[in-house]
């Protein structure tokens, strides 16, 4: 489960997610949004993208904060991407 919130929400909820890790601390994470839509976030060397729309990703301590262009926000722990 990843912490997530829909556009306009102030509180985080949880969204189911599956992780496929790759070499060099890269991963693809398939997420189911709170609205039931499924998409993939790709954490690659030097960039983060998604299979739907544009995303803004920033590292905040030990977690990535990913904001989709529709306002949804996801918190992805580094441990989910790198293992551990």
């Amino acid at each position: 489960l990843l912490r997530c919130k829909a556009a306009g929400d102030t509180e985080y909820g949880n969204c189911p997610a599956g992780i496929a890790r790759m070499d060099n601390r890269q991963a693809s994470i398939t997420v189911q949004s709170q609205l039931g839509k499924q998409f993939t976030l790709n954490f690659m060397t030097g960039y983060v993208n998604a299979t739907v729309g544009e995303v803004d990703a920033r590292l905040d301590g030990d977690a990535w904060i990913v904001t989709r262009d529709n306002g949804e926000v996801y918190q992805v722990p580094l441990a989910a991407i790198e293992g551990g």
Side-chain angles (χ1 to χ4, degrees), residues 5-78:
K5 60 182 174 180
D9 285 355
T10 56
E11 299 291 323
Y12 279 91
N14 291 310
C15 291
I19 302 165
R21 290 188 190 100
M22 297 171 261
D23 291 336
N24 300 320
R25 297 181 172 168
Q26 300 178 103
S28 290
I29 301 179
T30 302
V31 180
Q32 181 175 313
S33 74
Q34 291 179 325
L35 300 175
K37 304 289 183 181
Q38 202 172 73
F39 65 95
T40 302
L41 297 169
N42 298 299
F43 293 85
M44 310 307 287
T45 302
Y47 67 93
V48 177
N49 68 16
T51 56
V52 291
E54 297 293 321
V55 294
D56 176 61
R58 64 181 172 81
L59 192 57
D60 183 12
D62 63 351
W64 282 96
I65 307 301
V66 180
T67 305
R68 286 189 51 199
D69 55 4
N70 68 359
E72 294 173 353
V73 180
Y74 298 86
Q75 287 186 347
V76 182
L78 275 178

